Amino acid sequence: NAGVMQNPRHLVRRRGQEARLRCSPMKGHSHVYWYRQLPEEGLKFMVYLQKENIIDESGMPKERFSAEFPKEGPSILRIQQVVRGDSAAYFCASSQQEMDEQYFGPGTRLTVT
Amino acid sequence: GENVEQHPSTLSVQEGDSAVIKCTYSDSASNYFPWYKQELGKRPQLIIDIRSNVGEKKDQRIAVTLNKTAKHFSLHITETQPEDSAVYFCAACGNQFYFGTGTSLTVIP
């Protein structure tokens, strides 16, 4: 049973470009969560999605950030017009039930130059 | 919203000693409390969790205690080993997961 998959593992973007981060949950999991982690800091909740629905996006900046979890395919976190402050590790996690045990992917390390 | 505080932020222990990390939370609706271990450059991994209907849970050298009245929960690692060195995060979950700021544990051989 494959774990949570994320790609790419490393992403370099210049200021103003778009970043697309993908997350495939564990098999049988329909709940996906995205977190941001700055160096030597904790995990900050961004958004919680179920298939085709955004359940809670209270942790996600209203400008430039968006997330989706389509019926088919991975969940995508999209950051438009990236700035240096967006540089961080972005982790997704999935769970089988709502607000249940979460299993994390390996993360995408975004570097904005 | 929920507010999770975690202490200490750094902890050094001698190999074989015990380590204790404490977290407090504010939202009485929180009912699920997992602990994650994150090694440098790696993903957080769930090591133990506890639900609000239980006061204590143990898994080999790791135990977690929960005091709902006082709204605090703790991670206990006994007979620490160098491979226990990592950052540990607590979390409180009700309507959302709220993570503590992490404890960097160093086990000195």
Side-chain angles (χ1 to χ4, degrees):
Chain A
N1 186 10
V4 179
M5 310 285 282
Q6 285 186 253
N7 69 82
R9 296 290 305 278
H10 300 274
L11 181 61
V12 179
R13 284 286 178 266
R14 285 198 288 268
R15 277 180 300 170
Q17 290 185 319
E18 178 179 289
R20 280 189 178 227
L21 288 61
R22 294 174 185 77
C23 170
S24 296
M26 283 180 72
K27 187 176 180 182
H29 288 192
S30 59
H31 303 260
V32 167
Y33 315 79
W34 284 93
Y35 296 88
R36 177 162 68 178
Q37 187 176 39
L38 294 170
E40 299 188 11
E41 291 193 11
L43 294 154
K44 298 292 186 201
F45 168 80
M46 298 182 73
V47 61
Y48 162 40
L49 310 103
Q50 293 179 30
K51 284 284 187 182
E52 300 184 274
N53 285 305
I54 297 174
I55 306 301
D56 183 349
E57 56 183 347
S58 60
M60 196 161 65
K62 290 185 173 19
E63 310 263 333
R64 304 188 297 108
F65 285 73
S66 62
E68 62 177 11
F69 189 14
K71 188 176 179 182
E72 301 290 338
S75 174
I76 295 176
L77 179 67
R78 182 180 176 207
I79 311 172
Q80 295 178 290
Q81 299 172 344
V82 295
V83 300
R84 288 230 173 96
D86 296 333
S87 296
Y90 291 83
F91 288 95
C92 85
S94 72
S95 67
Q96 193 171 43
Q97 306 285 346
E98 181 178 1
M99 294 300 159
D100 203 2
E101 295 174 23
Q102 291 189 7
Y103 294 89
F104 281 80
T108 294
R109 278 152 185 82
L110 172 66
T111 302
V112 179
T113 61
Chain B
E2 176 66 277
N3 181 34
V4 178
E5 294 191 359
Q6 184 172 345
H7 300 281
S9 56
T10 59
L11 179 60
S12 291
V13 299
Q14 290 291 131
E15 182 178 357
D17 287 350
S18 295
V20 180
I21 303 170
K22 298 181 180 181
C23 286
T24 61
Y25 63 99
S26 58
D27 189 352
S28 54
S30 292
N31 55 15
Y32 174 57
F33 307 91
W35 285 87
Y36 288 85
K37 175 184 180 182
Q38 187 177 28
E39 296 176 17
L40 189 62
K42 297 191 176 180
R43 74 185 79 189
Q45 291 199 303
L46 179 70
I47 55 171
I48 196 167
D49 56 13
I50 193 167
R51 297 189 186 271
S52 58
N53 58 346
V54 175
E56 184 174 355
K57 184 176 178 181
K58 191 172 181 181
D59 182 4
Q60 300 183 335
R61 297 186 298 108
I62 295 173
V64 57
T65 59
L66 170 65
N67 184 327
K68 283 177 58 182
T69 305
K71 295 195 184 70
H72 66 70
F73 55 112
S74 301
L75 177 72
H76 304 252
I77 306 174
T78 58
E79 299 171 32
T80 53
Q81 300 166 4
E83 50 266 39
D84 294 330
S85 297
V87 178
Y88 291 80
F89 292 99
C90 65
C93 179
N95 297 320
Q96 200 182 95
F97 267 75
Y98 292 89
F99 281 83
T101 49
T103 296
S104 178
L105 173 65
T106 303
V107 179
I108 304 164

